[in-house]
Amino acid sequence: MFLHFIFCIFVQCDVKPQELKPNNIFLLAGQSNMAGRGGVYNDTKTNLLEWDGQVPPQCTSTPNILTLYLNQTWGIASEPLHKEIDNSKTCGVGPGMPFSNQILAKRPNFGVIGLVPCAVGGTKIEEWQKGTILYNQLVGRAKAARESTSGNIGALLWYQGESDCGEQDSMLYKGRLEKFFNDVRQDLQSPDLPIILVVISAGEGNFLRNVRDAQLNINLKNVVHVDAMGLTLLLDHLHLDTKSVVSIGQELADSFLNNFGQ
């Protein structure tokens, strides 16, 4: 049994489904910085993006942190958390694991956490509007996670906006984001669903300030934010490096506990 436990820490192993049931569910959605690019680098020999395979201690796997696989079964979570969902990109370390480990460190009796990865790199907010593929996938996976357990959805963690930093998209961002949040809450029949959004610190375009202002001024109940400004980026000047990914994950956890942790 002990060897089986150790084996499960490092690989996705087959455990009887009834043994893997979280009672605290968190939705992870947005684009690449939520999917995770920590440790991703350009291999100069192949000119391809690769992950360095380095997992910081704050991202360690544990039987108390589960993930909902693409086939909607639960298993022990491990980095890269979004490898099945954001499968056309190279994924690395993301905020989900340090978020979960931070909660468990501060609240040892919190229970088993179930992460529901839904983020996809390079996506605009209009691609998350009701009726789109990404929206339907998010809502469908959220419902499947909730129905397969006795747990409730603790929060939606949202990190997106870098692709909306063009002039027109940035001007429309606030309305689109608020509509998205309202639609998700309605379709999940959870009008007070806690939402924690990351205010972006970099973007693809010249209108980063517009998107940041929109995110900072969302005026909906139970929507709070953490700010990524000042965190260090990879050489592409767009994605958080591993150290910063861990930091933002821990900030998300602290925000959840302070605002919604009771």
Side-chain angles (χ1 to χ4, degrees):
M1 178 62 73
F2 178 74
L3 291 177
H4 180 68
F5 170 81
I6 294 297
F7 181 72
C8 288
I9 291 296
F10 293 99
V11 301
Q12 294 180 0
C13 62
D14 295 326
V15 181
K16 293 180 181 180
Q18 61 268 26
E19 296 178 7
L20 299 176
K21 294 294 182 182
N23 49 9
N24 299 284
I25 299 167
F26 294 94
L27 311 178
L28 311 178
Q31 54 182 113
S32 52
N33 273 315
M34 178 58 80
R37 298 294 185 264
V40 172
Y41 68 97
N42 183 58
D43 188 329
T44 55
K45 294 182 179 179
T46 63
N47 202 31
L48 297 174
L49 292 177
E50 303 286 350
W51 177 47
D52 63 15
Q54 298 298 309
V55 177
Q58 300 90 341
C59 301
T60 301
S61 294
T62 162
N64 288 322
I65 305 174
L66 307 180
T67 186
L68 190 72
Y69 295 142
L70 191 61
N71 65 3
Q72 297 187 352
T73 62
W74 293 102
I76 295 174
S78 63
E79 299 286 10
L81 194 62
H82 272 80
K83 55 184 174 291
E84 287 190 324
I85 299 297
D86 196 16
N87 54 22
S88 66
K89 308 285 176 60
T90 302
C91 293
V93 174
M97 293 298 289
F99 166 83
S100 303
N101 276 305
Q102 178 82 341
I103 287 180
L104 295 177
K106 293 198 168 184
R107 298 281 181 87
N109 297 323
F110 189 77
V112 178
I113 291 174
L115 300 175
V116 184
C118 298
V120 176
T123 52
K124 295 184 176 184
I125 187 60
E126 65 179 341
E127 297 177 77
W128 289 89
Q129 297 302 291
K130 184 169 181 173
T132 62
I133 292 173
L134 293 177
Y135 181 91
N136 291 341
Q137 178 173 258
L138 168 63
V139 172
R141 284 173 59 77
K143 288 181 177 179
R146 188 170 58 187
E147 291 167 3
S148 68
T149 74
S150 59
N152 293 317
I153 298 175
L156 164 64
L157 310 184
W158 177 255
Y159 194 165
Q160 188 276 337
E162 295 91 344
S163 291
D164 286 280
C165 290
E167 184 173 9
Q168 183 175 3
D169 286 328
S170 68
M171 293 175 63
L172 297 172
Y173 188 81
K174 185 171 186 287
R176 287 172 170 173
L177 184 61
E178 288 179 339
K179 183 179 186 302
F180 166 71
F181 287 161
N182 285 328
D183 286 340
V184 168
R185 284 172 161 173
Q186 181 177 9
D187 285 341
L188 293 180
Q189 297 181 326
S190 183
D192 296 325
L193 174 69
I195 298 172
I196 310 174
L197 68 89
V198 179
V199 180
I200 62 172
S201 60
E204 298 176 296
N206 298 321
F207 295 88
L208 169 65
R209 172 174 282 186
N210 289 355
V211 176
R212 281 181 53 82
D213 287 346
Q215 293 174 331
L216 287 166
N217 290 286
I218 295 294
N219 187 25
L220 296 174
K221 181 181 179 181
N222 283 356
V223 176
V224 298
H225 67 265
V226 299
D227 198 337
M229 187 60 73
L231 296 178
T232 50
L233 304 172
L234 298 175
L235 294 177
D236 61 13
H237 304 293
L238 188 64
H239 297 108
L240 300 185
D241 60 21
T242 299
K243 180 181 177 180
S244 293
V245 167
V246 169
S247 177
I248 206 70
Q250 293 177 332
E251 287 187 46
L252 285 164
D254 291 342
S255 179
F256 173 77
L257 293 174
N258 291 336
N259 289 286
F260 309 113
Q262 298 177 347

